[in-house]
Amino acid sequence: MNSPPSYAPTSSTSFTISSINDSKYHSEVTKSSLVKSSLHKSTYDALAEIFSILPTLEMLENSYVKDYITDKEKFTSTSYRLIHQYQIIAKGFLDDSQKLEILKEVLAAPDLSPDLTNFLPRFSDKFNINTPNAINRLQVGIPATIEQLSGHVESNSHAGTTSVVNVVNSTPVSSSATLLVQITANFLTCMDAIKLNYRSKDQLHPLLSELVVNLNDLVENGNHKEFDFQGKSKLITWLIKLNNLDNQELSAEDADSFFEDLDSGYKAFYESLASL
């Protein structure tokens, strides 16, 4: 049997860093370490998360534009989660003035705006990351599908022009678009709660109640009294059932049925919006 090439690893192959090089390496790392405090570490960890969100969202946006993604519900939920993750991180910076100062230092951006409106361009320049579609999506603050649907809803409604401002990026968003984002979040939160084995009235009733209230607000806001979708009545039934649980919990079988009704309702909701 021929012996393996000299470059191939074998069971006896070993590699050990010399103690001299090892100590030199650790010395250099210590001298150039960026982690000066726990706040610095949490800031770098947050920036690393954003660095991973941007290319992921960019790929998602490009795939949607090129029609590689046909399941709009999954696209919406994935896009929403990435946007929401970014917003949570950004809010962490806004809520901590010390982190904001560290952010200016890391990005070498003394002109960084207090509301982070110019954060993403500064971040992109600093780390040489080219994700224009992802940056635009994070600045808009809602998934592309919801942006399109909200435009459709607004153009066919008699609602006023009142708008709200996104907490993180100060981008004006229509009230219908805001409700669509909230309803998407409500559906996903309810389904996630069941996945986490939430079973009690105290855990599930407030989540479902918020979903139903927002669905009703969407109808009132868009003046679409006739708006309905398959499965909406089941959500009301579940709300009543949860309200009557008292100190009991849903059985595993009921929880599975509840999840299925939420999932089918979520899909039917988006299908019905196209008819408005």
Side-chain angles (χ1 to χ4, degrees), residues 196-248:
L196 292 171
N197 294 320
Y198 285 14
R199 298 285 186 270
S200 70
K201 173 183 176 179
D202 291 342
Q203 292 172 322
L204 295 176
H205 188 275
L207 302 179
L208 183 58
S209 178
E210 185 178 355
L211 168 59
V212 172
V213 168
N214 284 332
L215 284 170
N216 290 333
D217 286 346
L218 178 64
V219 173
E220 295 299 324
N221 179 73
N223 197 27
H224 296 292
K225 304 295 183 182
E226 75 285 356
F227 175 65
D228 199 2
F229 59 91
Q230 186 177 4
K232 183 179 179 182
S233 60
K234 289 184 178 180
L235 298 180
I236 306 298
T237 301
W238 278 111
L239 191 62
I240 296 172
K241 185 168 185 174
L242 289 172
N243 190 56
N244 293 329
L245 274 180
D246 293 328
N247 296 324
Q248 300 176 349

Side-chain angles (χ1 to χ4, degrees), residues 124-175:
S124 179
D125 291 341
K126 174 66 177 179
F127 298 106
N128 194 28
I129 181 170
N130 184 29
T131 55
N133 294 321
I135 289 176
N136 175 67
R137 184 55 49 206
L138 293 177
Q139 289 176 331
V140 171
I142 56 176
T145 42
I146 293 182
E147 186 178 22
Q148 293 166 356
L149 286 171
S150 64
H152 179 73
V153 170
E154 287 294 318
S155 66
N156 288 281
S157 70
H158 302 288
T161 56
T162 303
S163 63
V164 298
V165 176
N166 184 284
V167 175
V168 174
N169 54 39
S170 300
T171 301
V173 181
S174 71
S175 52

Side-chain angles (χ1 to χ4, degrees), residues 113-131:
S113 58
D115 57 2
L116 297 184
T117 51
N118 63 346
F119 164 69
L120 288 171
R122 296 291 184 276
F123 181 90
S124 179
D125 291 341
K126 174 66 177 179
F127 298 106
N128 194 28
I129 181 170
N130 184 29
T131 55

Side-chain angles (χ1 to χ4, degrees), residues 10-11 39 52 68 149 165 186 188 208 215 231 237 249 268-269:
T10 65
S11 59
L39 273 177
S52 68
Y68 294 153
L149 286 171
V165 176
N186 294 148
L188 296 175
L208 183 58
L215 284 170
T237 301
E249 293 189 350
F269 169 70

